[in-house]
Amino acid sequence: MNPEIELPYYSDAIFTPEWISPEDTKYDSIHTIADFSFVDQNGDMITNQTFENKIYVTNFFFTLCPNVCPRMTKNLKKIQKEFASDESVKILSHTVMPWVDSVDRLAEYASLNDIDVSQWSLVTGDKKYLYQMARESYFADEGFGKTVTTDEDFLHTENIILVDTKRRIRGIYNGTLPLEMKRMIEDIYTLKKE
């Protein structure tokens, strides 16, 4: 019988997996998600405290997106369904078009997509802040290490990121592929045993 393989940690934008034991001197310097504060589809403030001691999956989307985002939302619903009665697993979706995706629009999107608002937060906020969190904390951009700062800047990624209870990145998945959701579900169960 094979022992279960522990999930790696990811501390850079090229997503180099590292297996680091708690005894390792590098353990205390593993990249962690910065503190954050956004507004969700209910008009409530969502912060890193909301996800304290929770495993969560996060992505970046916009409600007007015609093809990639609807597929990601559909696939994330598999996570919602699998962990429907599990308070220790949450979903966090950030808009990349906050000038369009108001609280009301996010609420409408949640309703149209049967999103369980007790488990899944759709958040909006200041564009610069959202993009900074995306790029610096989640490494979530297809143009790795992108330094565009103009008003025309637009963030886009199909990645869904798995974050552990200590705010460290433990998995990266292609959000458009149903098979990747199966892998993520297995990885969440692995994290729950840590």
Side-chain angles (χ1 to χ4, degrees):
M1 196 161 131
N2 293 332
E4 198 159 325
I5 296 172
E6 288 185 12
L7 296 180
Y9 298 92
Y10 297 89
S11 293
D12 59 39
I14 55 171
F15 293 127
T16 306
E18 292 184 282
W19 283 265
I20 304 169
S21 75
E23 297 78 34
D24 194 308
T25 53
K26 290 173 74 176
Y27 187 80
D28 291 333
S29 61
I30 294 170
H31 173 78
T32 57
I33 304 304
D35 290 354
F36 58 84
S37 178
F38 297 111
V39 179
D40 75 359
Q41 70 270 27
N42 301 318
D44 296 330
M45 194 62 69
I46 296 295
T47 70
N48 44 291
Q49 244 97 46
T50 309
F51 298 90
E52 193 168 12
N53 298 317
K54 307 224 184 276
I55 295 165
Y56 71 96
V57 297
T58 191
N59 75 318
F60 295 84
F61 81 113
F62 57 105
T63 59
L64 295 175
C65 177
N67 48 28
V68 171
C69 303
R71 278 188 281 160
M72 281 202 291
T73 298
K74 182 180 175 191
N75 286 331
L76 277 169
K77 284 178 70 175
K78 296 176 192 317
I79 307 300
Q80 176 179 271
K81 183 179 178 189
E82 181 71 23
F83 298 99
S85 59
D86 189 337
E87 276 294 307
S88 71
V89 179
K90 300 288 183 187
I91 304 170
L92 174 62
S93 294
H94 308 75
T95 182
V96 296
M97 284 185 80
W99 59 94
V100 170
D101 292 335
S102 63
V103 168
D104 288 344
R105 191 173 184 102
L106 292 176
E108 182 183 3
Y109 186 86
S111 176
L112 289 171
N113 288 283
D114 296 320
I115 287 171
D116 176 356
V117 296
S118 68
Q119 184 187 20
W120 189 339
S121 299
L122 307 173
V123 297
T124 189
D126 175 71
K127 177 188 174 185
K128 186 177 176 187
Y129 182 45
L130 279 160
Y131 280 39
Q132 181 182 354
M133 278 299 299
R135 292 186 172 132
E136 294 176 14
S137 270
Y138 297 107
F139 309 123
D141 200 352
E142 297 302 317
F144 297 123
K146 210 170 181 184
T147 56
V148 179
T149 56
T150 66
D151 290 338
E152 292 79 38
D153 183 18
F154 190 73
L155 185 138
H156 195 277
T157 180
E158 296 174 355
N159 287 341
I160 297 177
I161 313 289
L162 175 60
V163 180
D164 71 13
T165 58
K166 295 180 179 165
R167 295 161 58 181
R168 300 169 304 195
I169 298 173
R170 304 300 295 277
I172 298 95
Y173 313 84
N174 183 322
T176 65
L177 303 176
L179 188 63
E180 287 278 86
M181 298 306 100
K182 186 176 179 198
R183 184 169 69 90
M184 188 193 302
I185 287 168
E186 290 170 1
D187 289 351
I188 290 170
Y189 281 116
T190 299
L191 274 187
K192 284 171 67 65
K193 292 175 189 168
E194 282 190 355

